């Protein structure tokens, strides 16, 4: 080195020494800063070293270093602190007799180097690196609403993960079915970006792109955010989502509901299904088992053909055809037989059976079915099973044997499959009254409904002995009920009413006696008496109760008779003893007493 070079070196060394001695911050090579951590919104404790005695801190200057430029922010003079104007003016306070500075309401912008400089007895400095942290909000995830096709040639967007307001920027990890995903060329891409909010916090946006296969149709995806706090490492997970995956069908099949034996009247659904998404366009063909003819049917958009009330004509071989509108590939399902079990209408012979009393009848029942049929005969009004089989034999018929009989044809192998037919048996005879006579309590001037029921074959007609408005109601094919509305007059109370039923074989009557109910008001009112169970010659109609006052009168009369009887017995006893002056002399004695 020449003389001029040596001089320059000495001058440079002297300059550096003078700068260190002057203590100008930032000029000397800085030592490794002390690390201090704090959370956004919290407080940070900045300590000016631990090796200095208390006397060293009577004269301290604090600087914040941003982009290698120190800025004075706080002064300590003789143990008293004072903030410099600027961003830290309201957030700094002195602690521990000047050895430490407290920074409150920490923000992301506070992540920098803070420098304390002690000037007495000699110039020294201490650097502090403040690290600021903020946990991000719960991550949100949004799945691709359009879905992904497996036929796509490059990765498509699966979902987007967003983590808001974290500091520093968190790390994101994507998962599928619980396994972490890593970028893979032409298969998996993860594109992440960040947004710096006005607060200085970060918002992370991460997009997962992948090339999916059919097996991913049920895959669950979620994202995880990893971040650090002063307390250590932490993580937050998003909810799991699935993306709609489109893939062509490989198989088509057919299902029928309900499962099991079907019968006429059932609601049946013929459902076409496929393992593709979206499902192909379906058509249904039905082949007649007898004629082998094929009929094309169009199901609903969801591939379901509904038979609201299945009939035997719906039986046949059904097959689904699926057409993929993207690939134009066509798939066929296996054929499936649909069998609708049935029972035809029941026929009874004779259709209108009739007989004389004491005679006999044989009723036969017929019906067709694709299954074995069982027959039963039942009495209509009681539900009693009379016989098993298609024939019902009735012997020595009485009038009571007339009425309804029902034949039921059922298929035991198909629960609920049955049909019935009702037939009425008529027994020739003169009219038969439900009651021969009846008595009614009524009020004068009231409107009264009189009823009369009769049966017979031929069907009888009813007439009344009094005037009124009559209405007839058919009860059974050989029975009739007549209701007569009349006004209760003194003449009607005297004569009563008679109901006459007649047919070509004779006539019969029901007599109705009316008695005045004096205990009730005589205002205009309406009362009705109607027959109940049929019983020839036996009154089963509910009578109006006798007035309570009549019972009281009867009791009173009985008491009076008893009192008179006792009084007569006493008088007779005294007469026998001679205590009563009932002779002529006694009479004279009484006359004398009277004259006196």
């Amino acid at each position: 080195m020449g003389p001029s070079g040596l001089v320059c070196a000495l001058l440079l060394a002297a300059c550096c020494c003078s700068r260190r001695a002057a203590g100008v911050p930032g000029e000397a090579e800085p030592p490794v800063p002390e690390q201090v951590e704090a959370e956004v919104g919290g407080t940070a404790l900045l300590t000016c070293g631990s090796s200095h005695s208390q006397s060293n801190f009577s004269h301290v200057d604090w600087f914040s270093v941003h982009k290698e430029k120190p800025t004075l922010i706080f002064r300590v003079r003789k143990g008293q602190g004072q903030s410099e104007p600027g961003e830290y003016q309201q957030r700094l306070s002195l602690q521990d007799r000047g050895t430490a500075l407290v920074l409150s309401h920490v923000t992301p912008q506070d992540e920098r180097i803070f420098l304390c400089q002690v000037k007495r007895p000699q110039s020294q400095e201490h650097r502090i690196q403040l690290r600021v942290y903020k946990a991000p909000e719960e991550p949100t995830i949004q799945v691709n609403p359009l879905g992904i096709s497996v036929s796509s040639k490059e990765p498509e967007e699966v979902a987007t993960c967003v983590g808001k307001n974290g500091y520093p920027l968190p790390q994101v990890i994507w998962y599928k079915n619980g396994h972490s995903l890593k970028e893979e060329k032409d298969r998996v891409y993860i594109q992440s970006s960040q947004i710096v909010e006005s607060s200085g916090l970060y918002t992370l946006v991460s997009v997962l792109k992948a090339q999916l296969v059919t097996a991913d149709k049920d895959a669950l995806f979620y994202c995880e955010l990893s971040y650090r706090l002063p307390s250590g490492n932490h993580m937050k997970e998003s909810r799991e989502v699935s993306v709609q995956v489109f893939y062509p069908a490989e198989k088509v099949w057919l299902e029928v509901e309900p499962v099991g034996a079907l019968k006429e009247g059932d609601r049946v659904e013929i459902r076409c299904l496929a393992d593709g998404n979206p499902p192909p366009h379906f058509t249904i063909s039905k082949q007649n088992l007898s004629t082998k003819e094929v009929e094309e049917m169009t199901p609903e958009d969801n591939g379901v053909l509904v038979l609201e009330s299945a009939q035997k004509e719906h039986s046949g071989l059904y097959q689904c055809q699926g057409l993929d509108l993207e690939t134009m590939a066509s798939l066929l399902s296996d054929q499936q037989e649909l069998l609708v079990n049935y029972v035809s209408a029941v026929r009874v012979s004779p259709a209108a059976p009739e007989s004389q009393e004491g005679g006999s009848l044989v009723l036969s029942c017929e019906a067709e079915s694709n299954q074995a049929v069982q027959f039963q005969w039942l009495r209509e009004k009681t539900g009693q099973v009379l016989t098993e089989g298609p024939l019902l034999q009735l012997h020595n018929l009485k009038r009571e044997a007339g009425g309804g009989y029902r034949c039921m044809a059922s298929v035991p192998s198909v629960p609920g499959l049955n049909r019935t037919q009702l037939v009425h048996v008529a027994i020739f005879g003169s009219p038969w009254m439900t009651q021969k006579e009846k008595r009614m309590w009524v009020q004068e001037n009231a409107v009264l409904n009189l009823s009369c029921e009769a049966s017979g074959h031929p069907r009888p007609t009813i007439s009344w002995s009094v005037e009124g408005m009559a209405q007839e109601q058919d009860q059974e094919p050989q029975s009739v009920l007549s209701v007569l509305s009349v006004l209760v007059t003194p003449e009607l109370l005297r004569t009563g009413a008679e109901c006459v039923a007649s047919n070509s074989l004779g006539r019969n009557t029901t007599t109705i006696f009316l008695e005045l109910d004096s205990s009730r008001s005589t205002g205009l009112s309406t009362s009705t008496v109607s027959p109940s169970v049929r019983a020839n010659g036996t009154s089963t109609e509910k009578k109006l109760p006798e007035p309570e006052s009549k019972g009281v009168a009867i009791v009173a009369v009985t008491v009076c008779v008893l009192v008179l009887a006792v009084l007569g017995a006493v008088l007779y006893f005294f007469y026998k003893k001679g205590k009563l002056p009932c002779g002529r002399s006694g009479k004279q004695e009484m006359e004398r007493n009277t004259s006196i």
Side-chain angles (χ1 to χ4, degrees):
M1 178 182 298
S4 59
L6 179 60
V7 171
C8 289
L10 291 174
L11 289 174
L12 180 60
C15 182
C16 290
C17 291
S18 64
R19 289 181 182 272
R20 287 196 189 97
V24 178
E27 295 298 331
E29 182 179 349
V32 177
E34 177 189 354
Q35 299 289 321
V36 174
E37 296 180 334
E39 290 192 50
V40 171
T43 59
L45 182 63
L46 309 177
T47 304
C48 192
S50 59
S51 60
H52 306 291
S53 64
Q54 182 176 354
S55 60
N56 293 336
F57 298 97
S58 62
H59 191 104
V60 181
D61 290 335
W62 284 89
F63 298 87
S64 73
V65 181
H66 182 59
K67 296 182 179 180
E68 300 183 357
K69 179 182 178 181
T71 302
L72 182 64
I73 59 173
F74 199 85
R75 296 175 184 269
V76 179
R77 298 294 184 266
K78 296 181 180 182
Q80 299 297 318
Q82 180 180 359
S83 293
E84 292 294 316
E87 59 178 320
Y88 292 102
Q89 184 173 5
Q90 304 298 326
R91 296 194 291 140
L92 293 173
S93 61
L94 201 60
Q95 187 171 311
D96 292 341
R97 299 178 182 179
T99 62
L101 201 61
V102 176
L103 174 62
S104 62
H105 306 294
V106 173
T107 68
Q109 291 83 359
D110 295 332
E111 184 167 276
R112 60 184 61 182
I113 290 178
F114 291 85
L115 184 148
C116 72
Q117 192 176 73
V118 181
K119 297 200 174 183
R120 296 177 183 176
Q122 59 182 2
S123 179
Q124 295 182 11
E125 66 179 32
H126 182 70
R127 290 174 175 265
I128 302 168
Q129 173 65 63
L130 179 60
R131 298 293 182 187
V132 179
Y133 301 96
K134 167 70 168 63
E137 298 174 9
E138 294 291 331
T140 60
I141 188 168
Q142 182 66 44
V143 73
N144 180 0
L146 301 179
I148 299 175
S149 174
V150 298
S151 60
S152 177
K153 302 301 182 183
E154 55 186 35
E156 298 284 343
E157 178 181 332
V158 176
T160 300
C161 177
V162 178
K164 294 183 177 180
N165 297 323
Y167 193 89
L169 189 69
Q171 300 297 313
V172 63
I173 303 175
W174 282 93
Y175 290 84
K176 181 179 81 170
N177 295 331
H179 300 287
S180 61
L181 294 173
K182 299 186 182 300
E183 287 197 331
E184 182 181 347
K185 186 178 181 180
D186 298 331
R187 295 286 299 170
V188 179
Y189 289 146
I190 299 175
Q191 298 177 346
S192 298
S193 60
Q194 65 188 48
I195 300 172
V196 181
E197 307 291 348
S198 59
S199 61
L201 301 176
Y202 290 107
T203 292
L204 172 71
V205 179
S206 181
V207 179
L208 172 65
K209 294 185 176 182
Q211 194 168 28
L212 302 184
V213 295
T214 302
D216 293 324
K217 61 185 178 65
D218 298 318
L220 294 176
F221 297 88
Y222 69 94
C223 63
E224 174 189 285
L225 298 183
S226 299
Y227 57 95
R228 177 173 171 75
L229 296 177
S231 58
N233 295 323
H234 300 268
M235 53 85 79
K236 290 184 177 181
E237 295 177 346
S238 73
R239 62 186 176 90
E240 292 183 319
V241 295
S242 60
V243 64
Q244 189 173 21
V245 180
F246 301 114
Y247 49 93
E250 298 178 356
K251 182 182 178 182
V252 172
W253 66 96
L254 181 148
E255 291 181 357
V256 176
E257 293 183 2
V259 177
L262 303 176
K263 63 181 182 297
E264 282 193 321
D266 283 347
R267 186 182 186 275
V268 179
E269 290 187 1
I270 302 171
R271 192 184 305 274
C272 292
L273 301 170
D275 59 356
N277 184 36
H281 175 73
F282 291 112
T283 56
I284 297 177
S285 63
K286 172 206 160 190
Q287 184 180 22
N288 189 293
L289 294 174
S290 301
T291 64
K292 304 302 180 183
E293 293 181 356
V294 176
E295 178 185 358
E296 293 291 335
M297 299 178 171
T298 302
E300 298 176 4
D301 292 340
N302 57 358
V304 178
L305 178 65
V306 179
L307 307 177
E308 291 292 347
S309 179
Q311 302 298 317
K312 64 179 181 178
E313 293 79 11
H314 292 130
S315 297
L317 288 175
Y318 285 79
Q319 187 177 38
C320 289
Q321 180 180 13
L323 177 64
D324 192 314
L325 299 180
E326 183 177 351
T327 65
M328 299 309 292
S330 180
L331 295 172
L332 289 175
S333 71
D334 294 334
Q335 286 186 321
Q336 183 169 332
E337 182 179 359
L338 180 71
L339 179 61
V340 181
N341 297 287
Y342 68 92
V343 173
S344 68
V346 178
R347 302 178 300 279
V348 174
S349 179
E354 54 186 14
S355 174
Q356 301 288 342
E357 283 195 84
S360 299
L361 281 174
V362 177
L363 306 180
S364 65
C365 186
E366 293 180 313
E368 289 79 38
S369 174
N370 62 320
Q371 304 286 351
V373 182
Q374 288 184 355
F375 295 93
Q376 272 186 339
W377 280 96
L378 303 93
R379 190 71 158 111
E380 176 66 12
K381 63 182 178 181
T382 64
Q384 177 187 1
V385 178
L386 302 177
T387 186
E388 302 281 349
L391 296 181
L392 175 64
Q393 298 183 10
L394 303 174
H395 301 289
N396 192 23
L397 292 168
K398 305 293 184 183
R399 183 187 292 268
E400 292 84 354
Y405 293 82
R406 186 174 294 275
C407 174
M408 176 184 289
S410 60
V411 176
S413 60
V414 184
L417 178 56
N418 63 75
R419 296 187 75 169
T420 66
Q421 180 61 48
L422 178 65
V423 64
H424 289 275
V425 172
I427 307 300
F428 285 103
S430 59
W432 186 36
M433 313 303 290
T434 58
Q435 291 178 278
K436 294 299 293 180
E437 64 179 35
K438 59 183 176 181
R439 190 175 301 275
M440 298 175 59
W441 296 98
V442 298
Q443 297 98 40
E444 191 172 356
N445 295 326
V447 176
L448 181 66
N449 290 335
L450 304 176
S451 62
C452 176
E453 185 176 4
S455 61
H457 185 62
R459 179 178 176 277
T461 58
I462 292 179
S463 59
W464 292 87
S465 62
V466 295
E467 294 294 330
M469 183 179 295
Q471 293 182 342
E472 288 192 358
Q473 304 171 12
D474 290 335
Q475 301 295 94
E476 293 181 0
Q478 272 67 49
S479 298
V480 62
L481 170 68
S482 178
V483 178
L484 180 71
S485 296
V486 295
L487 180 66
V488 179
T489 62
E491 178 66 17
L492 183 62
L493 287 169
R494 184 178 63 82
T495 61
E498 186 177 64
C499 161
V500 180
S502 59
N503 63 9
S504 60
L505 299 179
R507 64 194 300 273
N508 208 340
T509 62
T510 293
T511 303
I512 302 175
F513 300 98
L514 304 178
E515 295 191 18
L516 187 62
D517 182 0
S518 58
S519 67
R520 306 193 181 190
S521 62
T522 58
L524 189 63
S525 60
T526 303
S527 59
T528 305
V529 178
S530 301
S532 53
V533 181
R534 294 172 49 126
N536 195 29
T538 303
S539 175
T540 59
E541 187 166 339
K542 185 177 180 181
K543 301 294 192 301
L544 290 175
E546 294 189 1
E548 184 180 353
S549 60
K550 289 186 178 293
V552 174
I554 292 173
V555 173
V557 170
T558 303
V559 172
C560 290
V561 170
L562 291 174
V563 171
L564 291 175
V566 172
L567 181 61
V570 172
L571 292 174
Y572 182 74
F573 173 77
F574 283 109
Y575 174 74
K576 285 292 188 180
K577 294 291 185 179
K579 300 289 184 177
L580 292 175
C582 292
R584 181 175 296 271
S585 60
K587 182 178 181 182
Q588 293 173 355
E589 180 74 20
M590 291 175 67
E591 289 176 352
R592 283 198 302 269
N593 292 334
T594 303
S595 63
I596 292 173

